[in-house]
Amino acid sequence: MTTSAQRESPGTVRAWLLEGLQRERRATGPHEEHPEKRHTWWQVMCLTGVDYFSTLGYQPGIAAVAAGALSPIATLLLVLLTLFGALPTYRAVAQHSPNGMGSIAMLEGLLPRWWGKLFVLVLLGFVATAFIFTITLSASDATAHILQNPFVPGFLSGHEVGITLLLIALLGGIFLRGFSEAIGLAVVLVVVYLALNVVVVGVALAKVVSHPELLDGWQHSLTADHSSPVAMIAMSLLVLPKLALGLSGFETGVAVMPQIEGDLRARIAGARRLLTTAALIMSVFLLASSVATTMLIPAGEFAEGGKASGRALAYLAHENLGDAFGTVYDVSTIAILWFAGASALTGLLNIVPRYLPRYGMAPDWARAVRPLVLVFTAIAFGITILFGAQVEPQGGAYATGVLVLILSAAIAVTLTVFRAGRTVAGAGFGLISLVIAYTAVENIRERPDGLSIAIGFVVAIVVSSLVSRATRSTELRVTEVRLDETARRIVAEAPGQLRLIANEPDARDTAEYAEKDRETREYHHLPEDEPMIFLEVTLGDASEFEADLLVKGETRHGYQVLTVQSPAVANTIAAILFHLRDVTGNRPHVYFHWAEGNPVGALLRYLVFGGGDVPPLTREVIRKAEPDIGRRPQVHVS
């Protein structure tokens, strides 16, 4: 940190506070924040589509294993939930949270102060679960497709972890290079993959149509196992939670909104087109692929170790179009599964810097992209090694994270709509919330390990965030200091040294100011004619970390008083002293009385409530902010 003489202009506390971050950015290159260049909505759709559309690589097989002959019916219910549940919910989220912060931003204000912060941290734990497992599960599935291709050398078998780690490292490398490169690659991968799926699914459906006995056999298996259409629907509803991975693209769809070109209105419209188009495309492919795979693939091939296990459409590509085309399809599937983590990584890079650094719950360098890419890549490495790059064990955590996020979005929209007085629409979104809640609860009941992993992420984020908040508590924590006209006059008219009495306001009557003035002069041996200015800090929301300060001046009972509201007393006093030093060219003096009570308790009060033992904390903030002793404002305590 530099002194004021090295800064651009006097009083720029924001520049001082952020200088370390700027130095980090200069050292690591130009891609540290989301670039100014934005992209068309369909390009951004391809970015989120590498996650959403890539589920075709495993979703038809999951549906076949979970529902058997009921797979097309269960998939139809999933499509209905997509089009009439998740889609309208996230179209509303895009309207109310257009900066990519999603349902978390909508729910942040429901609980006040620290409760709201903790609530956000819990949701961020589920965000991390969903997005990190998007990276690791997709890369692991890409590895499975690599090893199951007939042309791949056998010596690679047994090296799943190494191959998956290589894929994740390559993904991180793309983002270290730059965001535009990621967008360009996503467009190519999505266009090629969807085109190949049109061929594979189209040929498969044509085969179904040309062989009516396949449809007859399917209908017979349905009626043999289920007594009525109602029983079929009921059983399909029971297995619906197992198909939840088919909803995976919506949260990332709103997370990438800041990348859409245009003003705020255009960005909202683009995000809605993105979500709608992706949902319609995916719905068509899900239904068509479930019909094709159910009718053309023997049930035994879906079992673990079978040729269609985790790769149903790839199986059809090899069976119906030959190994050469099937290999091309495998390469495309591997590529899009590998890059599926790109949309999740983009979402993390957009969401995390908007919350944790602002809360003081992450280092300030967490606002920059490149360090975060390295952090998330390292976490993905750890998860991959922990799960041995196996797809199925990661599915529970992935589905849990996705469903909790969709549920939080549905609840947020429901409450927002009800508050706007739209009762009928609110009831509709409330019904959607209940359906998604059922899906989430059933998924957790079926796979409780997923919730355990998600809770692990939540605990890790909460603990690390609170530790970071404690260690950063003595930073300056002020982004800007402004004096109103009266305050500027009081400072300008003060002769000689600026001397401030730190006063905790109470009655604010004549007796209070007279007594504090007398005690200060007596304890610090100041003459009666020495001009003194009172400085009063009123605590606002102590859970906030940074603040812009507006210092107001007034004359009260014949005394000059500067007043300000902020989340932390000591940091605020330090920032004001630095500002006064910069605008006057002289070091100001501030006078305190020692506080009574246990110093440990005072420290805890400071961390939670922003008060505590103010004099030593003020001095510590000043010491850390200004290395030059000769330029530090003077702190006097008696």
Side-chain angles (χ1 to χ4, degrees):
M1 185 170 295
T2 60
T3 61
S4 60
Q6 296 171 288
R7 287 176 246 153
E8 284 186 4
S9 59
T12 54
V13 180
R14 180 191 298 273
W16 191 4
L17 180 65
L18 298 181
E19 183 184 353
L21 173 60
Q22 293 165 353
R23 184 167 55 250
E24 173 74 12
R25 291 170 182 165
R26 287 195 299 270
T28 52
H31 298 293
E32 293 304 306
E33 292 184 316
H34 290 305
E36 291 300 322
K37 180 182 177 182
R38 299 182 186 275
H39 307 271
T40 62
W41 67 268
W42 63 268
Q43 288 176 310
V44 179
M45 184 194 73
C46 290
L47 178 63
T48 187
V50 292
D51 173 22
Y52 196 21
F53 301 142
S54 69
T55 56
L56 289 171
Y58 47 82
Q59 180 70 15
I62 291 175
V65 172
L70 288 173
S71 174
I73 299 175
T75 301
L76 175 61
L77 294 178
L78 176 67
V79 167
L80 293 175
L81 180 59
T82 297
L83 297 180
F84 299 102
L87 178 58
T89 294
Y90 276 96
R91 283 174 60 90
V93 171
Q95 172 72 39
H96 293 285
S97 182
N99 293 318
M101 297 169 77
S103 56
I104 298 178
M106 298 175 67
L107 292 169
E108 184 179 9
L110 292 178
L111 294 173
R113 299 179 180 267
W114 279 108
W115 290 111
K117 303 294 188 298
L118 291 174
F119 183 61
V120 168
L121 291 179
V122 170
L123 287 181
L124 286 178
F126 285 100
V127 168
T129 302
F131 287 4
I132 292 294
F133 275 91
T134 296
I135 298 170
T136 60
L137 184 146
S138 298
S140 300
D141 200 44
T143 299
H145 279 73
I146 291 173
L147 297 179
Q148 291 175 11
N149 184 273
F151 296 116
V152 171
F155 69 84
L156 291 177
S157 179
H159 294 84
E160 291 86 356
V161 172
I163 296 172
T164 304
L165 292 179
L166 177 61
L167 293 177
I168 294 172
L170 290 173
L171 176 66
I174 293 289
F175 276 81
L176 289 176
R177 181 174 175 81
F179 188 80
S180 295
E181 287 81 355
I183 284 280
L185 184 56
V187 170
V188 173
L189 292 178
V190 166
V191 170
V192 172
Y193 184 67
L194 291 182
L196 291 174
N197 273 287
V198 167
V199 175
V200 172
V201 175
V203 169
L205 290 179
K207 188 173 182 179
V208 171
V209 171
S210 63
H211 293 78
E213 66 274 11
L214 295 173
L215 180 60
D216 292 338
W218 176 63
Q219 291 176 332
H220 176 73
S221 63
L222 286 178
T223 54
D225 295 334
H226 306 285
S227 59
S228 67
V230 174
M232 297 177 193
I233 294 174
M235 185 59 65
S236 298
L237 284 172
L238 291 177
V239 300
L240 179 62
K242 297 181 180 180
L243 279 61
L245 296 185
L247 298 169
S248 65
F250 284 98
E251 191 69 28
T252 52
V254 295
V256 298
M257 280 183 68
Q259 304 305 326
I260 300 175
E261 63 183 4
D263 58 14
L264 189 63
R265 181 176 298 179
R267 194 156 65 243
I268 293 172
R272 287 181 158 186
R273 284 194 294 269
L274 177 161
L275 293 167
T276 303
T277 304
L280 290 173
I281 292 173
M282 191 62 176
S283 295
V284 171
F285 273 114
L286 283 175
L287 278 175
S289 63
S290 68
V291 170
T293 54
T294 301
M295 297 187 185
L296 294 178
I297 300 177
E301 297 291 356
F302 289 111
E304 185 174 353
K307 294 181 179 179
S309 176
R311 56 191 302 273
L313 290 179
Y315 174 92
L316 292 180
H318 284 271
E319 287 291 315
N320 297 331
L321 295 162
D323 285 339
F325 183 90
T327 298
V328 172
Y329 183 81
D330 281 343
V331 171
S332 177
T333 304
I334 290 165
I336 198 169
L337 281 169
W338 159 63
F339 208 60
S343 60
L345 193 51
T346 302
L348 287 169
L349 295 174
N350 181 63
I351 291 174
V352 169
R354 293 174 180 266
Y355 285 102
L356 295 185
R358 176 164 60 91
Y359 291 172
M361 294 178 174
D364 207 37
W365 55 256
R367 301 178 193 268
V369 169
R370 283 186 173 180
L372 283 181
V373 171
L374 296 175
V375 170
F376 294 140
T377 300
I379 295 173
F381 274 17
I383 294 295
T384 299
I385 295 170
L386 179 65
F387 284 88
Q390 298 301 306
V391 175
E392 180 60 29
Q394 298 180 61
Y398 182 33
T400 298
V402 168
L403 287 171
V404 169
L405 291 182
I406 295 177
L407 178 60
S408 70
I411 292 173
V413 171
T414 300
L415 295 175
T416 301
V417 170
F418 268 122
R419 287 184 174 183
R422 299 166 55 197
T423 306
V424 175
F429 282 113
L431 179 60
I432 292 172
S433 299
L434 290 176
V435 173
I436 296 174
Y438 156 75
T439 306
V441 170
E442 280 299 302
N443 175 78
I444 292 171
R445 187 184 65 82
E446 289 273 342
R447 294 183 283 188
D449 57 314
L451 180 61
S452 300
I453 295 168
I455 290 175
F457 270 88
V458 170
V459 171
I461 286 181
V462 170
V463 171
S464 61
S465 296
L466 293 178
V467 169
S468 175
R469 176 67 179 249
T471 57
R472 295 188 63 195
S473 61
T474 54
E475 292 180 7
L476 205 56
R477 294 175 55 179
V478 171
T479 51
E480 184 179 12
V481 177
R482 292 177 291 119
L483 306 181
D484 73 358
E485 184 177 350
T486 305
R488 288 197 299 271
R489 178 185 56 78
I490 291 173
V491 172
E493 293 179 354
Q497 294 285 347
L498 273 177
R499 300 187 186 275
L500 295 92
I501 300 175
N503 181 46
E504 183 177 358
D506 188 12
R508 286 179 169 168
D509 55 13
T510 302
E512 176 183 341
Y513 290 104
E515 179 65 17
K516 194 64 176 278
D517 181 76
R518 183 193 63 78
E519 289 180 349
T520 301
R521 294 180 189 278
E522 178 182 339
Y523 295 160
H524 296 281
H525 309 290
L526 297 172
E528 290 294 329
D529 59 350
E530 184 72 32
M532 305 292 288
I533 301 172
F534 282 84
L535 176 59
E536 299 179 345
V537 180
T538 303
L539 277 173
D541 183 357
S543 66
E544 293 294 332
F545 186 72
E546 296 178 346
D548 291 339
L549 301 181
L550 174 59
V551 182
K552 299 179 180 180
E554 59 182 285
T555 300
R556 189 181 299 134
H557 311 298
Y559 296 93
Q560 307 285 4
V561 183
L562 301 179
T563 65
V564 65
Q565 185 180 62
S566 81
V569 176
N571 311 69
T572 297
I573 293 175
I576 292 173
L577 292 174
F578 279 124
H579 182 78
L580 295 178
R581 182 200 65 180
D582 291 342
V583 298
T584 64
N586 295 313
R587 291 191 296 166
H589 296 250
V590 64
Y591 298 89
F592 294 95
H593 292 170
W594 285 115
E596 298 291 337
N598 187 292
V600 176
L603 178 60
L604 293 176
R605 289 196 301 274
Y606 168 67
L607 293 175
V608 178
F609 301 111
D613 196 0
V614 175
L617 289 168
T618 302
R619 195 268 176 185
E620 178 62 13
V621 173
I622 291 174
R623 185 192 67 81
K624 291 184 65 175
E626 177 56 81
D628 185 351
I629 296 177
R631 295 193 52 79
R632 292 176 187 167
Q634 295 293 290
V635 177
H636 305 270
V637 190
S638 65

